[in-house]
Structure formats: C-alpha cells, structure tokens
Amino acid sequence: MTITAAYQGVEGAHSEVALTAWLKTAGVAHELVGVPTFRHVATAVAGGKADVGLLPIDNAIAGTVRDGYDLVAQYELVPLTELAWRMDHRLLGLPGASASALREVLAHPLVIEECGRFLGTLAGARVVPSIDTGVAAREVAAGADPSRAAIGPPEAAARHGLIELAANVADHPDNVTRFLAFRGRDARDEVRALGDRLGASRKTSLLLTTRHERGALARCLGVLAESGINLAKLESRPVLGRPWDHLFYIDLEGDVSDPRIAAALEQLQPHVTSVQLLGSYDVTSGSAPPPAAPRPAAAAAPVAAPALPASAKGWPKAARPARPEGTRVPVGGGVVIGGDELVVIAGPCSVESREQVLDTARAVRDRGARLLRGGAFKPRTNPYSFQGLGWDGVALLAEAGRATGMPVVSEVMSVDQVERMAREVDVLQIGARNMQNFDLLKAVGKVDRPVMLKRGLSASLDELLAAAEYILAEGNPHVILCERGIRTFETATRNTLDLSAIPVLRERTHLPVIVDPSHGVGIARWIRPLARAAKAVGAHAIMVEVHPNPPEAKSDAEQALTYDEFSRIMDDLSRIGTGVDA
Ligand code: PEP
Ligand code: MN
C-alpha cells in the first residue's frame, strides 16, 4: 500500500524533508504532494485526497504556529505523531554570489522570524517573504541574479542547484520545529497504524476557552496539577471576534486513554466555555544528518594500552581505560574534536566590535577554520587592561558564528555565567587561570555543552586530568584538554609550549587534546612552526589567535596572526601528517 502525504510547499521545503524522514522511519511506501498553503494541507487530508498531512505547530524561536493548531482543530483531523525537527537554515545563493553583495533574501515568513538577527546583519539586503522555502530556492535559481538568495535547508540547495553562502543562520542553534502529522477521521487501517507504532512517549493537545471570571484558568490548571498530569505547553491566544476572551493551547504529557487524563477532562468542564480535544499522539524527533566534513581525514593511529601512573586512581573517568576507543566530542555544526580530522579553531583573542569579529570569522572560515574563538570575559593580569565586551561580546561572537556557519567557543569566568553562556555559545572554555576553580568545574560539568579545559600556568598533567575529572564526575562527558604553555625559567617566549604533553595525554586519557601555540609562545612569528609541530605530535585540534590588524588588538597583540600568516599556517598544516601515524 502506498500512502499519499501532503505538505505545504515544493521540493526542498523543510516540511517535505521532515515528512520524508518520518515516513522512511515508519517504513511505509509513500507519495508526496506539495500544496500551496497550510489550509490546503488540512483540506487535502480532510477531503480524502491525501492520507496524511504535516503542519508546523510550534517553533523554539518564533513560538506557536497558530494556523497549525487551528487547522487541525477546525477540520477535526486526528494527530498521528509530533515530529520535533531540527531546522537547518542556510543562506543559499547562485554559484559566485557572496553574502555581502546581496540585495534580496527570500524566505518563508516563519523562517524570517527564526533568522531575524542574521538577516539584520545583511546590510543593504531586502527581506522578501516567500510562500515556501522550496519556492524561495527555486525562484533564486531561476532568476539567475547573484544578488538574490534564499534561506533553506541543504536539501533545497541540492534540489535547485544553489550553493551555501552561510550556515547556522537561525537566532539560536537549538532551532527545533514541532510538526504534527495527522490523518482524516475515516482513514484506512494502515494509516491509523502510523499513529501507534512507536509506543514511545505520548502527548495530548487541547484547545480550551475559560469562563470570563476570576481564577477560571487557575482552577483549570489546579485540576491538571491535582491529577498529577504534566503540562508540556500552555499558551493563550485571542479568540477571533471576541476581544479579550482567551483561547488556550494546552499540551499534556500522556495519552487520553490514561484514566487520569480522561478524568481531568471531565473535571475541567465546569470551568470552561469550551474544550476541544485535538488528540493524543506519539512524540518522535529527527534531523538531517550533519554535513560531511569538507576536508580529508588525517588518520590517527590507535593508542596502545601501557600502564597508567598510580595517580590515575584519582581520575578514573578521565583515564584511557574508561573509553579505550577515545572520546569524540561533537561541538556543533557537524564538527567533531577527537576524530580523525585535525580541527583548526581560530579567531580574535577578544571580541572588540561587530566588524572585527565578523571580518575575522569570514577570513578564518574561508581559509579552513572550523570553529570560531573569541573572548568576551577576559581574565587579564592587570585590572586596567581591556576586560572584554561581556555579554555584548558573546552576542557578537554568536552572530559571527551564525553568519559563517561555524560553532563558537568562548571563555566562561564564573559560576554565575555558566548557564547563560551554555545557551549562547557552542563550547565553554575554562581559562588557564581557572583550571583549578573547582566550583566552576562542577558548574560546567552540569550543563549540556562541551568544555575546553586549558592547562593551568603551572599545573602538572596529573592536575589537569584531575581537573577534567571534576567535570566528568558531574555527568558532562564532553571535555577537551588544551595545552597552552606553562611557566618555566625561560623568558624568551611568553610560556613554554609543552609539546611532550600531547603523547603523554593521548596515552593516559581518552579525552581529545588540543594545542594553543598562540598563548604557548606569545610571539606571532613563532606560532607557525609550533602549529606544524602540534599536528605532527598528534594534537586533535589547534587553536590560534587571528586579528584583522594585529598592532591594534586590544589584548594579546604580539601574538595575533594576520590573515596572511594564518593562510600560511593552514597551508603548512595541509601538507604534513600527524606524528601518531608516522
Ligand atoms: C584565551 O584563550 O583567550 C586565554 C585567555 O587563554 P589562557 O586561559 O590559556 O591564558
Ligand atoms: Mn589571548
């Protein structure tokens, strides 16, 4: 049996990509039909022209998609599953186009809401709503005008022959849309079965209007609370034609066949003027696979299992035997540290302005960097030195990351910054001066973000591993160690880059190890040979500081690389192998 499935748009639309993925997972033969509007999706299913339909109902950035909930209710469609779909928004243009020369960007109105910050950075480009993502991409391809671009997923680029001008352009990387797949009332058995095949968690959606009297909503919520039902969503919307009356969208965890939910629906009756049950449905999630790494892998040899020092008892979770195969840390945007590919992290020491960080981001991205660095909270030796732009700097760094499709890393200096920082950047950096700030280590151990832990100025490797253990012990498995030079009697260089740390750490721990030659030597012209050495000795990643105009840098000017110097380093790195596979 083949199922006909309706979505809004044309090929390459997010709905089409999500619907295809769901039907594939469900293992049913299907035929897709793209229709012009959300309402057409609902009427196609209600009228029997399609077996199932898919509509967005909620987005993590833009909020409720009113049309989605309302159409399902209005046409009495039956929800089958909620699909939480990670939206991969990219800026797509014609070959040869450049983001800075755009005059027009076409996007679905919901996508415009999700990408407001990025669109605001495209000075001179008019944002034009388009009925659909696929249509936007198709129009840009047909128009042959390189000053026009569209926002859409990589599938839209592939389908319409466009190239990617920027990735990750949504206001936040955690950009998930909840789609609802539904069927008509009189569906065939095979279609009905799509709604209860997973048996995973279930949700129930209601549309409810309360009496216009004091405490009505509170009493409704009280009924749910007393029944022990968890609320997944509550949102009030105006009722058309009845100003100041309110309609509430309510999602509950659980199935309507659960006696607690059935009883709660009864008990709500005296407090409401209407309650409409949208239905109960499965909760599933999915997203497109991350894009393939653009550069060939440099293979790292497996590490043998020599005896660990006695001190390893103090860091069992960090010790190599805990994960003999090595830990691979996904840092966002499909980039992994600890895999076969050497990752280059680059960017300014400090974020100084929008132009400075955006220009640097573009320059390093175009030369092969995969991760953007930039300090906003700066641990400076002297209180009168530039202290960083704080949260404004974090926002500018995140914006530059989105504009260039790179995940971002920035230093977090105190416990009270951790939660917010974890929301705004992809990787949390613990600076050398904080390597043994144990409260901070515990705090970053509790969040769901990779941590780059820098070796303290005079910390032994044993102490570095014990510090990593603090983070692992709190439950965060994604720790990356960074050798950034230590204090020795030598004064010719800012620090002494301890390259012996890399083979030692690779033997003793499964955590990825990266090298920061910028802070290691502190003098721009000596960074290049040390970057080569870092790759040769087996680093998983290299982090360097780059500035559009090094003499003007507000921090660490002596070690800032020019774009040309950075190019030469990238060129060197592409021509040498790693020490471990030699
Ligand atoms: C940095 O990377 O910006 C930095 C301050 O480094 P460290 O903590 O190694 O001095
Ligand atoms: Mn620095």
Side-chain angles (χ1 to χ4, degrees):
M1 183 204 64
T2 301
I3 281 183
T4 310
Y7 66 95
Q8 187 251 332
V10 300
E11 277 176 65
H14 286 283
S15 302
E16 189 233 12
V17 180
L19 185 55
T20 307
W22 173 60
L23 290 167
K24 270 196 186 147
T25 314
V28 290
H30 55 271
E31 201 173 273
L32 298 188
V33 263
V35 297
T37 65
F38 287 168
R39 186 168 294 275
H40 283 92
V41 177
T43 53
V45 178
K49 288 206 189 75
D51 294 306
V52 299
L54 186 83
L55 285 174
I57 53 170
D58 206 355
N59 172 267
I61 296 173
T64 294
V65 183
R66 179 180 181 133
D67 261 357
Y69 277 94
D70 286 358
L71 288 166
V72 173
Q74 189 183 337
Y75 289 94
E76 299 190 332
L77 299 163
V78 183
L80 294 166
T81 191
E82 160 190 307
L83 187 60
W85 186 258
R86 191 165 290 282
M87 304 293 277
D88 187 350
H89 290 324
R90 307 191 184 197
L91 182 67
L92 310 173
L94 291 166
S98 112
S100 51
L102 292 176
R103 306 293 303 273
E104 232 175 57
V105 179
L106 283 64
H108 191 290
L110 296 175
V111 176
I112 294 174
E113 282 189 64
E114 291 160 40
C115 304
R117 283 203 234 159
F118 171 75
L119 290 169
T121 66
L122 295 175
R126 208 159 62 92
V127 179
V128 183
S130 176
I131 60 160
D132 164 62
T133 295
V135 169
R138 193 174 65 186
E139 276 188 22
V140 168
D145 174 357
S147 75
R148 298 172 89 209
I151 296 184
E155 288 81 356
R159 175 68 187 76
H160 300 287
L162 299 178
I163 59 152
E164 185 180 310
L165 306 178
N168 247 338
V169 301
D171 283 1
H172 195 280
D174 284 336
N175 183 23
V176 177
T177 289
R178 291 169 60 218
F179 286 96
L180 202 60
F182 46 81
R183 62 169 174 85
R185 297 251 138 220
D186 312 317
R188 294 173 282 159
D189 287 348
E190 299 91 320
V191 178
R192 285 169 189 266
L194 282 170
D196 47 33
R197 55 178 51 235
L198 299 175
S201 56
R202 302 273 290 173
K203 249 188 209 171
T204 298
S205 292
L206 309 174
L207 266 57
L208 179 149
T209 46
T210 54
R211 295 193 180 285
H212 198 76
E213 58 191 37
R214 207 176 326 135
L217 177 65
R219 283 193 290 278
C220 292
L221 296 180
V223 166
L224 298 174
E226 274 156 36
S227 317
I229 298 166
N230 220 11
L231 220 58
K233 177 188 177 85
L234 168 65
E235 183 163 343
S236 77
R237 308 288 304 189
V239 181
L240 300 185
R242 296 210 323 254
W244 326 130
D245 271 7
H246 281 98
L247 169 70
F248 296 95
Y249 297 118
I250 297 185
D251 291 348
L252 309 172
E253 284 175 11
D255 191 278
V256 69
S257 64
D258 176 339
R260 288 176 312 160
I261 293 191
L265 285 176
E266 282 295 310
Q267 289 162 25
L268 283 174
Q269 295 296 343
H271 310 297
V272 300
T273 44
S274 75
V275 55
Q276 186 171 1
L277 176 69
L278 232 52
S280 298
Y281 45 88
D282 280 339
V283 177
T284 45
S285 66
S287 66
R295 286 186 295 129
V303 177
L308 292 171
S311 58
K313 283 198 197 65
W315 30 268
K317 291 187 160 59
R320 172 63 76 167
R323 290 193 80 160
E325 73 285 8
T327 290
R328 297 158 61 90
V329 178
V331 293
V335 182
V336 172
I337 296 182
D340 294 335
E341 186 197 359
L342 176 86
V343 173
V344 174
I345 307 165
C349 177
S350 302
V351 175
E352 298 170 9
S353 68
R354 171 176 278 126
E355 296 66 42
Q356 173 246 15
V357 69
L358 203 56
D359 201 68
T360 313
R362 291 197 176 113
V364 300
R365 192 265 324 262
D366 291 349
R367 290 163 177 79
R370 305 293 309 280
L371 214 75
L372 177 66
R373 65 148 285 145
F377 294 99
K378 296 302 300 177
R380 304 305 301 278
T381 303
N382 191 305
Y384 306 119
S385 303
F386 176 61
Q387 303 284 310
L389 297 182
W391 292 115
D392 290 344
V394 175
L396 293 175
L397 180 73
E399 182 183 317
R402 282 192 298 275
T404 51
M406 283 186 289
V408 300
V409 50
S410 198
E411 176 160 354
V412 55
M413 287 224 302
S414 65
V415 173
D416 60 341
Q417 292 166 356
V418 170
E419 278 198 17
R420 177 160 173 195
M421 203 64 141
R423 285 197 300 273
E424 302 199 13
V425 306
D426 302 280
V427 179
L428 302 171
Q429 177 171 325
I430 300 291
R433 290 153 194 84
N434 268 321
M435 188 201 87
Q436 286 188 316
N437 180 338
F438 301 116
D439 284 344
L440 186 57
L441 298 178
K442 285 185 204 163
V444 296
K446 291 192 179 81
V447 296
D448 182 22
R449 275 281 179 268
V451 177
M452 181 202 291
L453 176 64
K454 298 191 92 176
R455 182 178 181 183
L457 274 65
S458 52
S460 68
L461 294 179
D462 197 54
E463 287 162 341
L464 173 62
L465 289 166
E469 187 79 12
Y470 265 93
I471 303 170
L472 299 173
E474 293 295 334
N476 186 345
H478 291 144
V479 180
I480 302 159
L481 305 174
C482 177
E483 162 59 38
R484 47 77 70 204
I486 47 174
R487 276 282 167 86
T488 66
F489 55 83
E490 183 53 74
T491 54
T493 50
R494 178 178 178 182
N495 290 293
T496 297
L497 187 65
D498 179 13
L499 287 172
S500 7
I502 291 78
V504 175
L505 289 171
R506 288 198 54 150
E507 183 177 296
R508 295 193 174 169
T509 178
H510 53 85
L511 299 172
V513 183
I514 79 172
V515 170
D516 168 358
S518 295
H519 293 88
V521 280
I523 305 290
R525 67 182 178 283
W526 293 328
I527 294 171
R528 187 173 160 203
L530 284 162
R532 289 197 298 255
K535 180 169 184 187
V537 82
H540 291 106
I542 292 173
M543 178 162 85
V544 289
E545 292 185 345
V546 179
H547 195 280
N549 184 6
E552 301 269 288
K554 292 191 175 167
S555 58
D556 288 350
E558 313 74 38
Q559 69 194 37
L561 298 166
T562 62
Y563 298 161
D564 280 351
E565 286 167 332
F566 180 66
S567 292
R568 282 195 283 277
I569 290 177
M570 293 305 285
D571 193 42
D572 283 2
L573 292 177
S574 70
R575 285 186 290 119
I576 58 169
T578 63
V580 281
D581 62 0

